[in-house]
Amino acid sequence: MADPVAVLDDLRDESAELDRLVGELGPADWALPTPAAGWTIAHQIAHLHWTDTAALLAATDETAFAGEAAKALAAPDSFVDDGAETGAALPPAELLDRWRTGCEQLQLALRAAPSGARFPWYGPPMSAASMATARLMETWAHGLDVAEALGVTPPPTARLRHVAWIGVRARDYAYLVRGEQPPAEPFRVEITGPAGELWTYGPEGAAQRITGPALDFALLVTQRAHRADLAVRAVGADADRWLDIAQAFAGPPGPGRPRKGGR
């Protein structure tokens, strides 16, 4: 089981990295388009704030969270966009302040969570460490969209191990959310971290295998790049199928990103 303190420290650092990108933006910059169709920088930060707020409710008020989850269930195809749209309509300074405050409140709540506590979510219930990992994954992924809008390329860090871990853990969910039966046998995932270290998941002798750079694997499972543009490779038909549908996030299947050049 992951150490929640270590994951929360990394989430704090990932949020600070994004804050450095948006903290000094002028009002006009918040309206810049990002790679997510119809989403500006304001939408990206609004979505993170909306999700942090939901996570805070899950950690502190299960009844209130159940009400929010019911709203999502009633509008599965629009609740994410609706939340982003509402926040993006705020003045940029107010949105930035709300996002920062939400990050801090969620940090405090998860650090104060009792050992072994599990919280409801839009997918399976989560521990404090898993919740922090999910928030880090989303912060990193949406931060990439913001960075691209600003013409910046953030260097990969060891924090990618959290994105990779949740991507592997969400393997079966990617099938189930598409109405498919997950494979019964485990996969072996071997990916190379930014400093050249090898991160491995699953039994060493598994017939179904995934290999490649950790950054590319993280881009794949967060659907920030098309599979054809990444150096992630599969051995085995089941592993190959997974690379087509992998998603590290809860909710309906994402549309993914088009292949570069539209090919």
Side-chain angles (χ1 to χ4, degrees), residues 116-129:
R118 297 189 69 80
F119 310 116
W121 196 236
Y122 300 103
M126 290 189 173
S127 65

Side-chain angles (χ1 to χ4, degrees), residues 28-42 44 145-146 148-150:
D29 294 325
W30 286 81
L32 289 172
T34 69
W39 278 29
T40 64
I41 289 177
Q44 299 285 351
D145 292 342
V146 171
E148 187 167 336
L150 296 172

Side-chain angles (χ1 to χ4, degrees), residues 25-260:
L25 292 181
D29 294 325
W30 286 81
L32 289 172
T34 69
W39 278 29
T40 64
I41 289 177
H43 285 85
Q44 299 285 351
I45 300 302
H47 171 70
L48 289 175
H49 171 59
W50 178 87
T51 318
D52 284 345
T53 300
L56 182 62
L57 282 179
T60 61
D61 190 339
E62 291 192 14
T63 300
F65 176 79
E68 292 303 309
K71 293 177 186 177
L73 187 63
D77 296 326
S78 63
F79 78 98
V80 171
D81 285 333
D82 290 345
E85 196 67 43
T86 298
L90 294 170
E94 182 178 350
L95 173 58
L96 179 62
D97 182 65
R98 289 192 184 192
W99 172 61
R100 286 170 169 168
T101 300
C103 287
E104 182 177 355
Q105 290 176 336
L106 183 58
Q107 278 273 340
L108 292 173
L110 293 180
R111 288 180 188 275
S115 177
R118 297 189 69 80
F119 310 116
W121 196 236
Y122 300 103
M126 290 189 173
S127 65
S130 294
M131 183 72 79
T133 302
R135 300 310 311 128
L136 188 152
M137 175 271 295
E138 285 231 38
T139 301
W140 177 78
H142 291 281
L144 284 182
D145 292 342
V146 171
E148 187 167 336
L150 296 172
V152 176
T153 304
T157 72
R159 295 190 295 272
L160 283 177
R161 70 186 185 278
H162 302 300
V163 183
W165 179 86
I166 201 168
V168 171
R169 291 278 293 179
R171 187 202 73 166
D172 288 1
Y173 180 81
Y175 289 91
L176 294 171
V177 78
R178 289 166 173 79
E180 300 180 24
Q181 184 64 31
E185 63 181 303
F187 293 176
R188 175 71 169 182
V189 178
E190 298 181 352
I191 53 179
T192 306
E197 67 277 34
L198 186 65
W199 299 339
T200 62
Y201 311 87
E204 188 173 356
Q208 306 290 322
R209 307 177 69 84
I210 305 291
T211 59
L215 174 59
D216 285 23
F217 182 75
L219 290 168
L220 180 84
V221 299
T222 57
Q223 298 187 0
R224 259 44 192 188
H226 193 282
R227 176 185 174 182
D229 296 320
L230 301 171
V232 182
R233 301 291 178 258
V235 174
D238 288 340
D240 187 72
R241 172 57 180 161
W242 182 44
L243 293 189
D244 286 334
I245 64 173
Q247 68 177 70
F249 49 88
R257 297 288 163 81
R259 186 174 181 179
K260 290 180 180 177

